[in-house]
Amino acid sequence: MRNYYNKQRVRDVDFKNSRDLFLHGMVGSDNGGTCVSMPVLYVAVGRRLGYPMRLVLAKAHVFARWDDAARGEPT
């Protein structure tokens, strides 16, 4: 699976193009991912594997966060 962050797509999103809105647009595509689609993919895969991952929303950005209760981090 090849995926990469495509900076040009962040400010130039085509809301009529499903590749800009859904995960299939960044997996196996030259379209690339954005700061929204990539963390969603990483957290979905991480949770499926049993890792304590969460999505974090910030102003105009989304992050993937690892929550580790054993190290005293939020859950």
Side-chain angles (χ1 to χ4, degrees):
M1 179 168 74
R2 184 185 76 117
N3 54 5
Y4 62 94
Y5 180 68
N6 187 344
K7 288 188 256 186
Q8 289 129 359
R9 302 305 301 159
V10 173
R11 301 243 185 253
D12 186 27
V13 179
D14 179 6
F15 290 104
K16 295 177 185 173
N17 183 354
S18 66
R19 292 184 311 151
D20 284 350
L21 301 175
F22 299 105
L23 295 176
H24 76 275
M26 63 178 268
V27 178
S29 168
D30 289 337
N31 193 54
T34 67
C35 64
V36 175
S37 61
M38 292 181 77
V40 170
L41 175 63
Y42 298 152
V43 170
V45 171
R47 285 182 178 178
R48 184 72 173 170
L49 293 172
Y51 297 124
M53 298 185 74
R54 303 282 184 265
L55 283 176
V56 178
L57 304 178
K59 185 177 182 180
H61 205 72
V62 179
F63 297 93
R65 180 178 78 191
W66 178 283
D67 287 338
D68 189 358
R71 295 177 54 181
E73 297 174 3
T75 56

